[in-house]
Amino acid sequence: MSTLTNSAAPARLWKFHGGLHLPDHKALSCEQAIAPAALPKRLVLPLQQHIGAPAKPIVEVGERVLKGQIIGQPDGFVSAALHAPTSGTVVAIEERPVPHPSGLSAPCIVIDSDGEDRWVERQPHSHWAGLDPSELRNIIREAGIVGLGGAGFPSFIKLNPGARTEVDTLILNAAECEPYITCDDRLMRERADEVIAGARIMRHALHARRVVIGIEDNKPQAHAALGAALARIDRSDIELVQVPTRYPTGGEKQLIKVLTGKEVPSQGLPIDISVVCHNVATAAAVHRAVELGEPLITRIVTVTGRGVAQPRNLEVLIGTPVDDLLQQCGGTTPTLSRLVLGGPLMGITLQHHGLPVTKTGNCILALTPGEFGQHGPVRNCIRCGECARVCPANLLPQQLYWHARAKDFDKVQDYNLFDCIECGCCAYVCPTNLPLVQYYRYAKTTIWSQARDKKKAELARERHDFRLERQEREKAERAAKLAKKKAALEESPATDSEEAKKAAIKAAMERAKAKHEAAGVEPKNTDNLTPEQQRQIDEVEARRAAAEKEE
């Protein structure tokens, strides 16, 4: 237990298991102020930039759009809207390569900028304190705000604890623990007021009893800026707490543990222990959406690493190609070996430099050979146990590795695979250079795929069973009708039926006869008959008379 804090009231801090002290390399990019990135000629906007269902396009190719205009609406509850980052023309809606570990393509809206950067009409809500929390959540949803710390969960959902759940603590995550990344650091230094304003809006939406901002102690200037912003508005009810610098303190579960001492249950959520956690950049975005009426169309991106000439932080339009940002930072160096979206431990390697920046893209990391982490041939696990010692989720990484490698996906879940936050600590310390996180991601992806296939199979089986049940029911109904009809026939004697038929025929003949007599109908063509014809008629008349007499 530690008691580090710069807040007025000392805060008690707890420790989480594992973690590492890493060289942070943050000085490369954090000394220069945030600069606006140049307006790109073309923007590529993936429809899925968050966890959940991709947005549904509501524009057509050739349509002119304004900056901030919605171009993709949420499709389902767990989804987020997408907006045009600048004014221009939609030139394509098609699949394009996107920054994803799979390297696959996904549906995107492509906009050519007209260079005017004209805004759509904005609707600010300066008196947000008078709004109902549900109205605030709708504004945030329509603004397309998702978690900017990297997870990309739609923010309005995390601001909706449900009618029966009370929120004890709202935590703003200002740890930014992964090496190289400094976009949140610069944001807090330069726009602390926006972060505090967002925190107050979030607190109103959640009715949270307590608000805590957790910031690692390697950001003294950001800490001072936030403290000054709180003092300006006299908000001593928002706690600003310094936490020890130890990777991965910025992990949601780890920061909650450090600040509150509470453990998020296995495969559970922070709300299960009455805690909600948001990133500081998300808080600033919430402020801009509510008080300025601006949807999420920009974000601050750290462009850094020794593979780029002038590392710095840029405020970037969502959809800007990575190549454009590298050029604005002086281009890459000849020693560039790998380009990563995100940090060196949790980021993904980019397949090429033309991929667009998305809402969750906080860092473009240009690495040179041997710049970070271990390199060398992969050897067999020696069971040294170092991975378990540093795992912040209290897992057994070597066991997960063995079972994932053996494709024993039931067993790997028994070892709580889905509690792994993929922080990369285990792979970083592995003396045999095993790509442990890649094995965990492979196992998770396979299990998710199998779960989807199983669900489809269950759905197909349910449909088949329902069809059989319906056919059996219809067959039984038909059999019952036939049985009922047969029983009715059996209850009516055949003789009665024949007698009834004769009576009906007789009645019909009598009616016809009566009709003829009433109409005075006389047989025609009876004049000038031959004797033979007259004889035949007489015989017919005689047979009819005899028949009538018998009846």
PDB file of all heavy atoms in Angstrom, residues 123-126 128 136 139-140 143 145 159 187 191-202 280-295:
ATOM      1  N   GLN A 123     -25.389  22.647 -32.448  1.00  0.00           N
ATOM      2  CA  GLN A 123     -26.384  22.900 -31.403  1.00  0.00           C
ATOM      3  C   GLN A 123     -25.752  22.701 -30.021  1.00  0.00           C
ATOM      4  O   GLN A 123     -25.825  21.604 -29.442  1.00  0.00           O
ATOM      5  CB  GLN A 123     -27.584  21.965 -31.574  1.00  0.00           C
ATOM      6  CG  GLN A 123     -28.340  22.194 -32.871  1.00  0.00           C
ATOM      7  CD  GLN A 123     -29.540  21.287 -33.015  1.00  0.00           C
ATOM      8  OE1 GLN A 123     -29.617  20.231 -32.395  1.00  0.00           O
ATOM      9  NE2 GLN A 123     -30.487  21.695 -33.827  1.00  0.00           N
ATOM     10  N   PRO A 124     -25.115  23.750 -29.499  1.00  0.00           N
ATOM     11  CA  PRO A 124     -24.500  23.626 -28.166  1.00  0.00           C
ATOM     12  C   PRO A 124     -25.553  23.616 -27.059  1.00  0.00           C
ATOM     13  O   PRO A 124     -26.655  24.151 -27.210  1.00  0.00           O
ATOM     14  CB  PRO A 124     -23.616  24.877 -28.081  1.00  0.00           C
ATOM     15  CG  PRO A 124     -24.247  25.857 -29.006  1.00  0.00           C
ATOM     16  CD  PRO A 124     -24.868  25.058 -30.116  1.00  0.00           C
ATOM     17  N   HIS A 125     -25.197  22.993 -25.944  1.00  0.00           N
ATOM     18  CA  HIS A 125     -26.067  22.933 -24.767  1.00  0.00           C
ATOM     19  C   HIS A 125     -25.274  23.475 -23.578  1.00  0.00           C
ATOM     20  O   HIS A 125     -24.728  22.703 -22.767  1.00  0.00           O
ATOM     21  CB  HIS A 125     -26.523  21.503 -24.502  1.00  0.00           C
ATOM     22  CG  HIS A 125     -27.329  20.909 -25.616  1.00  0.00           C
ATOM     23  ND1 HIS A 125     -26.767  20.362 -26.748  1.00  0.00           N
ATOM     24  CD2 HIS A 125     -28.677  20.794 -25.768  1.00  0.00           C
ATOM     25  CE1 HIS A 125     -27.718  19.924 -27.545  1.00  0.00           C
ATOM     26  NE2 HIS A 125     -28.892  20.171 -26.984  1.00  0.00           N
ATOM     27  N   SER A 126     -25.195  24.790 -23.503  1.00  0.00           N
ATOM     28  CA  SER A 126     -24.383  25.404 -22.444  1.00  0.00           C
ATOM     29  C   SER A 126     -25.014  25.194 -21.063  1.00  0.00           C
ATOM     30  O   SER A 126     -24.313  25.180 -20.055  1.00  0.00           O
ATOM     31  CB  SER A 126     -24.201  26.895 -22.726  1.00  0.00           C
ATOM     32  OG  SER A 126     -25.465  27.519 -22.886  1.00  0.00           O
ATOM     33  N   TRP A 128     -26.258  22.524 -19.671  1.00  0.00           N
ATOM     34  CA  TRP A 128     -26.435  21.075 -19.592  1.00  0.00           C
ATOM     35  C   TRP A 128     -26.864  20.603 -18.199  1.00  0.00           C
ATOM     36  O   TRP A 128     -27.459  19.526 -18.068  1.00  0.00           O
ATOM     37  CB  TRP A 128     -25.139  20.368 -19.978  1.00  0.00           C
ATOM     38  CG  TRP A 128     -23.929  20.820 -19.228  1.00  0.00           C
ATOM     39  CD1 TRP A 128     -23.029  21.758 -19.613  1.00  0.00           C
ATOM     40  CD2 TRP A 128     -23.498  20.371 -17.946  1.00  0.00           C
ATOM     41  NE1 TRP A 128     -22.055  21.921 -18.663  1.00  0.00           N
ATOM     42  CE2 TRP A 128     -22.323  21.077 -17.625  1.00  0.00           C
ATOM     43  CE3 TRP A 128     -23.990  19.436 -17.028  1.00  0.00           C
ATOM     44  CZ2 TRP A 128     -21.632  20.881 -16.419  1.00  0.00           C
ATOM     45  CZ3 TRP A 128     -23.307  19.233 -15.837  1.00  0.00           C
ATOM     46  CH2 TRP A 128     -22.136  19.957 -15.552  1.00  0.00           C
ATOM     47  N   LEU A 136     -28.597  13.892 -21.924  1.00  0.00           N
ATOM     48  CA  LEU A 136     -27.144  14.010 -22.097  1.00  0.00           C
ATOM     49  C   LEU A 136     -26.591  12.791 -22.841  1.00  0.00           C
ATOM     50  O   LEU A 136     -25.749  12.932 -23.741  1.00  0.00           O
ATOM     51  CB  LEU A 136     -26.466  14.127 -20.737  1.00  0.00           C
ATOM     52  CG  LEU A 136     -26.439  15.511 -20.093  1.00  0.00           C
ATOM     53  CD1 LEU A 136     -25.816  15.430 -18.711  1.00  0.00           C
ATOM     54  CD2 LEU A 136     -25.671  16.500 -20.962  1.00  0.00           C
ATOM     55  N   ILE A 139     -27.269  13.041 -26.511  1.00  0.00           N
ATOM     56  CA  ILE A 139     -26.367  13.999 -27.170  1.00  0.00           C
ATOM     57  C   ILE A 139     -25.006  13.347 -27.413  1.00  0.00           C
ATOM     58  O   ILE A 139     -24.418  13.459 -28.498  1.00  0.00           O
ATOM     59  CB  ILE A 139     -26.219  15.266 -26.294  1.00  0.00           C
ATOM     60  CG1 ILE A 139     -27.549  16.015 -26.222  1.00  0.00           C
ATOM     61  CG2 ILE A 139     -25.119  16.172 -26.847  1.00  0.00           C
ATOM     62  CD1 ILE A 139     -27.563  17.119 -25.174  1.00  0.00           C
ATOM     63  N   ILE A 140     -24.523  12.643 -26.409  1.00  0.00           N
ATOM     64  CA  ILE A 140     -23.203  12.002 -26.516  1.00  0.00           C
ATOM     65  C   ILE A 140     -23.237  10.873 -27.547  1.00  0.00           C
ATOM     66  O   ILE A 140     -22.293  10.674 -28.312  1.00  0.00           O
ATOM     67  CB  ILE A 140     -22.777  11.487 -25.125  1.00  0.00           C
ATOM     68  CG1 ILE A 140     -22.516  12.685 -24.204  1.00  0.00           C
ATOM     69  CG2 ILE A 140     -21.553  10.594 -25.214  1.00  0.00           C
ATOM     70  CD1 ILE A 140     -22.424  12.340 -22.737  1.00  0.00           C
ATOM     71  N   ALA A 143     -23.248  12.306 -30.983  1.00  0.00           N
ATOM     72  CA  ALA A 143     -21.948  12.888 -31.315  1.00  0.00           C
ATOM     73  C   ALA A 143     -20.913  11.820 -31.667  1.00  0.00           C
ATOM     74  O   ALA A 143     -19.786  12.155 -32.030  1.00  0.00           O
ATOM     75  CB  ALA A 143     -21.437  13.731 -30.137  1.00  0.00           C
ATOM     76  N   ILE A 145     -19.340   9.585 -29.786  1.00  0.00           N
ATOM     77  CA  ILE A 145     -18.184   9.509 -28.880  1.00  0.00           C
ATOM     78  C   ILE A 145     -17.994   8.085 -28.381  1.00  0.00           C
ATOM     79  O   ILE A 145     -18.931   7.453 -27.893  1.00  0.00           O
ATOM     80  CB  ILE A 145     -18.364  10.478 -27.702  1.00  0.00           C
ATOM     81  CG1 ILE A 145     -18.405  11.917 -28.234  1.00  0.00           C
ATOM     82  CG2 ILE A 145     -17.217  10.327 -26.705  1.00  0.00           C
ATOM     83  CD1 ILE A 145     -18.687  12.942 -27.189  1.00  0.00           C
ATOM     84  N   LEU A 159     -22.118   5.522 -19.637  1.00  0.00           N
ATOM     85  CA  LEU A 159     -22.725   6.574 -18.825  1.00  0.00           C
ATOM     86  C   LEU A 159     -24.155   6.224 -18.430  1.00  0.00           C
ATOM     87  O   LEU A 159     -24.894   7.062 -17.923  1.00  0.00           O
ATOM     88  CB  LEU A 159     -22.703   7.905 -19.584  1.00  0.00           C
ATOM     89  CG  LEU A 159     -21.314   8.509 -19.784  1.00  0.00           C
ATOM     90  CD1 LEU A 159     -21.374   9.711 -20.714  1.00  0.00           C
ATOM     91  CD2 LEU A 159     -20.709   8.910 -18.440  1.00  0.00           C
ATOM     92  N   LEU A 187      -2.743  16.900 -23.834  1.00  0.00           N
ATOM     93  CA  LEU A 187      -4.135  17.358 -23.692  1.00  0.00           C
ATOM     94  C   LEU A 187      -4.360  17.954 -22.312  1.00  0.00           C
ATOM     95  O   LEU A 187      -4.948  19.044 -22.174  1.00  0.00           O
ATOM     96  CB  LEU A 187      -5.087  16.178 -23.915  1.00  0.00           C
ATOM     97  CG  LEU A 187      -6.570  16.454 -23.598  1.00  0.00           C
ATOM     98  CD1 LEU A 187      -7.187  17.320 -24.698  1.00  0.00           C
ATOM     99  CD2 LEU A 187      -7.356  15.157 -23.445  1.00  0.00           C
ATOM    100  N   ARG A 191      -5.296  21.661 -22.250  1.00  0.00           N
ATOM    101  CA  ARG A 191      -6.756  21.794 -22.250  1.00  0.00           C
ATOM    102  C   ARG A 191      -7.350  21.169 -20.978  1.00  0.00           C
ATOM    103  O   ARG A 191      -8.335  20.424 -21.031  1.00  0.00           O
ATOM    104  CB  ARG A 191      -7.342  21.134 -23.495  1.00  0.00           C
ATOM    105  CG  ARG A 191      -6.742  21.686 -24.795  1.00  0.00           C
ATOM    106  CD  ARG A 191      -7.259  20.958 -26.015  1.00  0.00           C
ATOM    107  NE  ARG A 191      -6.552  21.380 -27.219  1.00  0.00           N
ATOM    108  CZ  ARG A 191      -6.744  20.882 -28.434  1.00  0.00           C
ATOM    109  NH1 ARG A 191      -7.642  19.933 -28.609  1.00  0.00           N
ATOM    110  NH2 ARG A 191      -6.054  21.328 -29.460  1.00  0.00           N
ATOM    111  N   ALA A 192      -6.754  21.503 -19.883  1.00  0.00           N
ATOM    112  CA  ALA A 192      -7.219  20.933 -18.609  1.00  0.00           C
ATOM    113  C   ALA A 192      -8.662  21.329 -18.316  1.00  0.00           C
ATOM    114  O   ALA A 192      -9.441  20.548 -17.758  1.00  0.00           O
ATOM    115  CB  ALA A 192      -6.294  21.381 -17.486  1.00  0.00           C
ATOM    116  N   ASP A 193      -9.023  22.555 -18.692  1.00  0.00           N
ATOM    117  CA  ASP A 193     -10.398  23.007 -18.440  1.00  0.00           C
ATOM    118  C   ASP A 193     -11.422  22.120 -19.163  1.00  0.00           C
ATOM    119  O   ASP A 193     -12.504  21.858 -18.638  1.00  0.00           O
ATOM    120  CB  ASP A 193     -10.555  24.467 -18.905  1.00  0.00           C
ATOM    121  CG  ASP A 193      -9.738  25.426 -18.046  1.00  0.00           C
ATOM    122  OD1 ASP A 193      -9.580  25.137 -16.848  1.00  0.00           O
ATOM    123  OD2 ASP A 193      -9.266  26.440 -18.580  1.00  0.00           O
ATOM    124  N   GLU A 194     -11.085  21.686 -20.383  1.00  0.00           N
ATOM    125  CA  GLU A 194     -12.007  20.829 -21.136  1.00  0.00           C
ATOM    126  C   GLU A 194     -12.169  19.475 -20.434  1.00  0.00           C
ATOM    127  O   GLU A 194     -13.264  18.911 -20.385  1.00  0.00           O
ATOM    128  CB  GLU A 194     -11.502  20.619 -22.564  1.00  0.00           C
ATOM    129  CG  GLU A 194     -11.511  21.906 -23.402  1.00  0.00           C
ATOM    130  CD  GLU A 194     -11.182  21.638 -24.860  1.00  0.00           C
ATOM    131  OE1 GLU A 194     -11.095  20.459 -25.240  1.00  0.00           O
ATOM    132  OE2 GLU A 194     -11.009  22.615 -25.606  1.00  0.00           O
ATOM    133  N   VAL A 195     -11.070  18.953 -19.915  1.00  0.00           N
ATOM    134  CA  VAL A 195     -11.136  17.663 -19.221  1.00  0.00           C
ATOM    135  C   VAL A 195     -12.021  17.778 -17.976  1.00  0.00           C
ATOM    136  O   VAL A 195     -12.886  16.923 -17.736  1.00  0.00           O
ATOM    137  CB  VAL A 195      -9.716  17.199 -18.826  1.00  0.00           C
ATOM    138  CG1 VAL A 195      -9.783  15.934 -17.976  1.00  0.00           C
ATOM    139  CG2 VAL A 195      -8.869  16.950 -20.073  1.00  0.00           C
ATOM    140  N   ILE A 196     -11.826  18.840 -17.209  1.00  0.00           N
ATOM    141  CA  ILE A 196     -12.632  19.015 -15.986  1.00  0.00           C
ATOM    142  C   ILE A 196     -14.105  19.230 -16.338  1.00  0.00           C
ATOM    143  O   ILE A 196     -15.000  18.689 -15.681  1.00  0.00           O
ATOM    144  CB  ILE A 196     -12.093  20.206 -15.160  1.00  0.00           C
ATOM    145  CG1 ILE A 196     -10.629  19.963 -14.782  1.00  0.00           C
ATOM    146  CG2 ILE A 196     -12.954  20.420 -13.920  1.00  0.00           C
ATOM    147  CD1 ILE A 196     -10.390  18.722 -13.969  1.00  0.00           C
ATOM    148  N   ALA A 197     -14.351  20.007 -17.399  1.00  0.00           N
ATOM    149  CA  ALA A 197     -15.742  20.240 -17.818  1.00  0.00           C
ATOM    150  C   ALA A 197     -16.413  18.915 -18.207  1.00  0.00           C
ATOM    151  O   ALA A 197     -17.574  18.656 -17.854  1.00  0.00           O
ATOM    152  CB  ALA A 197     -15.781  21.221 -18.978  1.00  0.00           C
ATOM    153  N   GLY A 198     -15.675  18.085 -18.929  1.00  0.00           N
ATOM    154  CA  GLY A 198     -16.219  16.773 -19.312  1.00  0.00           C
ATOM    155  C   GLY A 198     -16.489  15.898 -18.103  1.00  0.00           C
ATOM    156  O   GLY A 198     -17.485  15.167 -18.062  1.00  0.00           O
ATOM    157  N   ALA A 199     -15.597  15.948 -17.131  1.00  0.00           N
ATOM    158  CA  ALA A 199     -15.792  15.147 -15.913  1.00  0.00           C
ATOM    159  C   ALA A 199     -17.066  15.561 -15.186  1.00  0.00           C
ATOM    160  O   ALA A 199     -17.803  14.716 -14.669  1.00  0.00           O
ATOM    161  CB  ALA A 199     -14.578  15.321 -14.995  1.00  0.00           C
ATOM    162  N   ARG A 200     -17.331  16.857 -15.149  1.00  0.00           N
ATOM    163  CA  ARG A 200     -18.546  17.323 -14.461  1.00  0.00           C
ATOM    164  C   ARG A 200     -19.810  16.866 -15.206  1.00  0.00           C
ATOM    165  O   ARG A 200     -20.818  16.487 -14.581  1.00  0.00           O
ATOM    166  CB  ARG A 200     -18.502  18.846 -14.354  1.00  0.00           C
ATOM    167  CG  ARG A 200     -17.384  19.368 -13.454  1.00  0.00           C
ATOM    168  CD  ARG A 200     -17.316  20.868 -13.474  1.00  0.00           C
ATOM    169  NE  ARG A 200     -18.570  21.455 -13.015  1.00  0.00           N
ATOM    170  CZ  ARG A 200     -18.925  22.717 -13.251  1.00  0.00           C
ATOM    171  NH1 ARG A 200     -18.131  23.514 -13.950  1.00  0.00           N
ATOM    172  NH2 ARG A 200     -20.069  23.169 -12.798  1.00  0.00           N
ATOM    173  N   ILE A 201     -19.752  16.896 -16.536  1.00  0.00           N
ATOM    174  CA  ILE A 201     -20.915  16.426 -17.316  1.00  0.00           C
ATOM    175  C   ILE A 201     -21.143  14.935 -17.078  1.00  0.00           C
ATOM    176  O   ILE A 201     -22.268  14.474 -16.874  1.00  0.00           O
ATOM    177  CB  ILE A 201     -20.700  16.713 -18.817  1.00  0.00           C
ATOM    178  CG1 ILE A 201     -20.653  18.222 -19.061  1.00  0.00           C
ATOM    179  CG2 ILE A 201     -21.798  16.064 -19.653  1.00  0.00           C
ATOM    180  CD1 ILE A 201     -20.214  18.602 -20.464  1.00  0.00           C
ATOM    181  N   MET A 202     -20.049  14.180 -17.100  1.00  0.00           N
ATOM    182  CA  MET A 202     -20.167  12.730 -16.867  1.00  0.00           C
ATOM    183  C   MET A 202     -20.720  12.449 -15.471  1.00  0.00           C
ATOM    184  O   MET A 202     -21.549  11.552 -15.285  1.00  0.00           O
ATOM    185  CB  MET A 202     -18.800  12.068 -17.012  1.00  0.00           C
ATOM    186  CG  MET A 202     -18.287  11.994 -18.451  1.00  0.00           C
ATOM    187  SD  MET A 202     -16.632  11.278 -18.513  1.00  0.00           S
ATOM    188  CE  MET A 202     -16.500  10.872 -20.247  1.00  0.00           C
ATOM    189  N   VAL A 280      -9.389  10.507 -20.031  1.00  0.00           N
ATOM    190  CA  VAL A 280      -9.460  11.976 -19.978  1.00  0.00           C
ATOM    191  C   VAL A 280      -9.784  12.573 -21.350  1.00  0.00           C
ATOM    192  O   VAL A 280     -10.482  13.596 -21.448  1.00  0.00           O
ATOM    193  CB  VAL A 280      -8.149  12.578 -19.441  1.00  0.00           C
ATOM    194  CG1 VAL A 280      -8.024  12.357 -17.946  1.00  0.00           C
ATOM    195  CG2 VAL A 280      -6.928  12.024 -20.171  1.00  0.00           C
ATOM    196  N   ALA A 281      -9.271  11.947 -22.421  1.00  0.00           N
ATOM    197  CA  ALA A 281      -9.583  12.464 -23.762  1.00  0.00           C
ATOM    198  C   ALA A 281     -11.072  12.276 -24.070  1.00  0.00           C
ATOM    199  O   ALA A 281     -11.682  13.116 -24.754  1.00  0.00           O
ATOM    200  CB  ALA A 281      -8.726  11.753 -24.804  1.00  0.00           C
ATOM    201  N   THR A 282     -11.662  11.207 -23.579  1.00  0.00           N
ATOM    202  CA  THR A 282     -13.103  11.008 -23.752  1.00  0.00           C
ATOM    203  C   THR A 282     -13.874  12.100 -23.022  1.00  0.00           C
ATOM    204  O   THR A 282     -14.881  12.617 -23.541  1.00  0.00           O
ATOM    205  CB  THR A 282     -13.516   9.627 -23.214  1.00  0.00           C
ATOM    206  OG1 THR A 282     -12.659   8.627 -23.762  1.00  0.00           O
ATOM    207  CG2 THR A 282     -14.943   9.309 -23.588  1.00  0.00           C
ATOM    208  N   ALA A 283     -13.400  12.455 -21.831  1.00  0.00           N
ATOM    209  CA  ALA A 283     -14.069  13.527 -21.074  1.00  0.00           C
ATOM    210  C   ALA A 283     -14.030  14.839 -21.852  1.00  0.00           C
ATOM    211  O   ALA A 283     -15.036  15.565 -21.935  1.00  0.00           O
ATOM    212  CB  ALA A 283     -13.403  13.693 -19.711  1.00  0.00           C
ATOM    213  N   ALA A 284     -12.875  15.149 -22.444  1.00  0.00           N
ATOM    214  CA  ALA A 284     -12.771  16.385 -23.239  1.00  0.00           C
ATOM    215  C   ALA A 284     -13.710  16.335 -24.446  1.00  0.00           C
ATOM    216  O   ALA A 284     -14.334  17.347 -24.809  1.00  0.00           O
ATOM    217  CB  ALA A 284     -11.326  16.583 -23.688  1.00  0.00           C
ATOM    218  N   ALA A 285     -13.816  15.169 -25.066  1.00  0.00           N
ATOM    219  CA  ALA A 285     -14.718  15.027 -26.216  1.00  0.00           C
ATOM    220  C   ALA A 285     -16.175  15.206 -25.797  1.00  0.00           C
ATOM    221  O   ALA A 285     -16.986  15.789 -26.543  1.00  0.00           O
ATOM    222  CB  ALA A 285     -14.508  13.656 -26.864  1.00  0.00           C
ATOM    223  N   VAL A 286     -16.521  14.713 -24.615  1.00  0.00           N
ATOM    224  CA  VAL A 286     -17.890  14.890 -24.104  1.00  0.00           C
ATOM    225  C   VAL A 286     -18.177  16.386 -23.898  1.00  0.00           C
ATOM    226  O   VAL A 286     -19.262  16.876 -24.241  1.00  0.00           O
ATOM    227  CB  VAL A 286     -18.065  14.103 -22.788  1.00  0.00           C
ATOM    228  CG1 VAL A 286     -19.332  14.536 -22.058  1.00  0.00           C
ATOM    229  CG2 VAL A 286     -18.105  12.606 -23.078  1.00  0.00           C
ATOM    230  N   HIS A 287     -17.202  17.100 -23.343  1.00  0.00           N
ATOM    231  CA  HIS A 287     -17.383  18.554 -23.177  1.00  0.00           C
ATOM    232  C   HIS A 287     -17.643  19.224 -24.523  1.00  0.00           C
ATOM    233  O   HIS A 287     -18.567  20.043 -24.649  1.00  0.00           O
ATOM    234  CB  HIS A 287     -16.135  19.147 -22.524  1.00  0.00           C
ATOM    235  CG  HIS A 287     -15.880  20.567 -22.896  1.00  0.00           C
ATOM    236  ND1 HIS A 287     -16.656  21.614 -22.422  1.00  0.00           N
ATOM    237  CD2 HIS A 287     -14.950  21.116 -23.738  1.00  0.00           C
ATOM    238  CE1 HIS A 287     -16.210  22.741 -22.937  1.00  0.00           C
ATOM    239  NE2 HIS A 287     -15.187  22.483 -23.743  1.00  0.00           N
ATOM    240  N   ARG A 288     -16.859  18.899 -25.544  1.00  0.00           N
ATOM    241  CA  ARG A 288     -17.011  19.561 -26.847  1.00  0.00           C
ATOM    242  C   ARG A 288     -18.352  19.186 -27.490  1.00  0.00           C
ATOM    243  O   ARG A 288     -18.968  20.009 -28.174  1.00  0.00           O
ATOM    244  CB  ARG A 288     -15.855  19.181 -27.773  1.00  0.00           C
ATOM    245  CG  ARG A 288     -14.485  19.610 -27.242  1.00  0.00           C
ATOM    246  CD  ARG A 288     -13.376  19.358 -28.259  1.00  0.00           C
ATOM    247  NE  ARG A 288     -13.429  20.362 -29.323  1.00  0.00           N
ATOM    248  CZ  ARG A 288     -12.881  21.566 -29.244  1.00  0.00           C
ATOM    249  NH1 ARG A 288     -12.233  21.934 -28.145  1.00  0.00           N
ATOM    250  NH2 ARG A 288     -12.967  22.410 -30.249  1.00  0.00           N
ATOM    251  N   ALA A 289     -18.794  17.972 -27.267  1.00  0.00           N
ATOM    252  CA  ALA A 289     -20.074  17.547 -27.854  1.00  0.00           C
ATOM    253  C   ALA A 289     -21.242  18.269 -27.191  1.00  0.00           C
ATOM    254  O   ALA A 289     -22.176  18.726 -27.879  1.00  0.00           O
ATOM    255  CB  ALA A 289     -20.228  16.035 -27.712  1.00  0.00           C
ATOM    256  N   VAL A 290     -21.197  18.390 -25.875  1.00  0.00           N
ATOM    257  CA  VAL A 290     -22.349  18.938 -25.148  1.00  0.00           C
ATOM    258  C   VAL A 290     -22.320  20.469 -25.158  1.00  0.00           C
ATOM    259  O   VAL A 290     -23.309  21.120 -25.529  1.00  0.00           O
ATOM    260  CB  VAL A 290     -22.363  18.401 -23.704  1.00  0.00           C
ATOM    261  CG1 VAL A 290     -23.488  19.065 -22.907  1.00  0.00           C
ATOM    262  CG2 VAL A 290     -22.540  16.880 -23.704  1.00  0.00           C
ATOM    263  N   GLU A 291     -21.201  21.057 -24.778  1.00  0.00           N
ATOM    264  CA  GLU A 291     -21.164  22.511 -24.602  1.00  0.00           C
ATOM    265  C   GLU A 291     -20.873  23.267 -25.895  1.00  0.00           C
ATOM    266  O   GLU A 291     -21.192  24.451 -26.008  1.00  0.00           O
ATOM    267  CB  GLU A 291     -20.124  22.874 -23.542  1.00  0.00           C
ATOM    268  CG  GLU A 291     -20.466  22.303 -22.164  1.00  0.00           C
ATOM    269  CD  GLU A 291     -19.726  22.987 -21.043  1.00  0.00           C
ATOM    270  OE1 GLU A 291     -20.141  24.086 -20.641  1.00  0.00           O
ATOM    271  OE2 GLU A 291     -18.730  22.407 -20.561  1.00  0.00           O
ATOM    272  N   LEU A 292     -20.248  22.608 -26.884  1.00  0.00           N
ATOM    273  CA  LEU A 292     -19.950  23.277 -28.153  1.00  0.00           C
ATOM    274  C   LEU A 292     -20.735  22.701 -29.329  1.00  0.00           C
ATOM    275  O   LEU A 292     -20.716  23.279 -30.422  1.00  0.00           O
ATOM    276  CB  LEU A 292     -18.442  23.186 -28.453  1.00  0.00           C
ATOM    277  CG  LEU A 292     -17.502  23.714 -27.360  1.00  0.00           C
ATOM    278  CD1 LEU A 292     -16.053  23.555 -27.781  1.00  0.00           C
ATOM    279  CD2 LEU A 292     -17.806  25.171 -27.037  1.00  0.00           C
ATOM    280  N   GLY A 293     -21.371  21.576 -29.128  1.00  0.00           N
ATOM    281  CA  GLY A 293     -22.152  20.973 -30.219  1.00  0.00           C
ATOM    282  C   GLY A 293     -21.288  20.347 -31.298  1.00  0.00           C
ATOM    283  O   GLY A 293     -21.731  20.202 -32.437  1.00  0.00           O
ATOM    284  N   GLU A 294     -20.065  19.931 -30.943  1.00  0.00           N
ATOM    285  CA  GLU A 294     -19.149  19.361 -31.932  1.00  0.00           C
ATOM    286  C   GLU A 294     -19.081  17.845 -31.780  1.00  0.00           C
ATOM    287  O   GLU A 294     -18.726  17.344 -30.708  1.00  0.00           O
ATOM    288  CB  GLU A 294     -17.739  19.938 -31.753  1.00  0.00           C
ATOM    289  CG  GLU A 294     -17.657  21.426 -32.034  1.00  0.00           C
ATOM    290  CD  GLU A 294     -16.234  21.956 -31.873  1.00  0.00           C
ATOM    291  OE1 GLU A 294     -15.326  21.136 -31.632  1.00  0.00           O
ATOM    292  OE2 GLU A 294     -16.057  23.173 -31.984  1.00  0.00           O
ATOM    293  N   PRO A 295     -19.392  17.099 -32.823  1.00  0.00           N
ATOM    294  CA  PRO A 295     -19.249  15.640 -32.745  1.00  0.00           C
ATOM    295  C   PRO A 295     -17.771  15.256 -32.741  1.00  0.00           C
ATOM    296  O   PRO A 295     -16.891  16.101 -32.941  1.00  0.00           O
ATOM    297  CB  PRO A 295     -19.951  15.158 -34.010  1.00  0.00           C
ATOM    298  CG  PRO A 295     -19.799  16.292 -34.970  1.00  0.00           C
ATOM    299  CD  PRO A 295     -19.859  17.549 -34.145  1.00  0.00           C
TER     300      PRO A 295
END
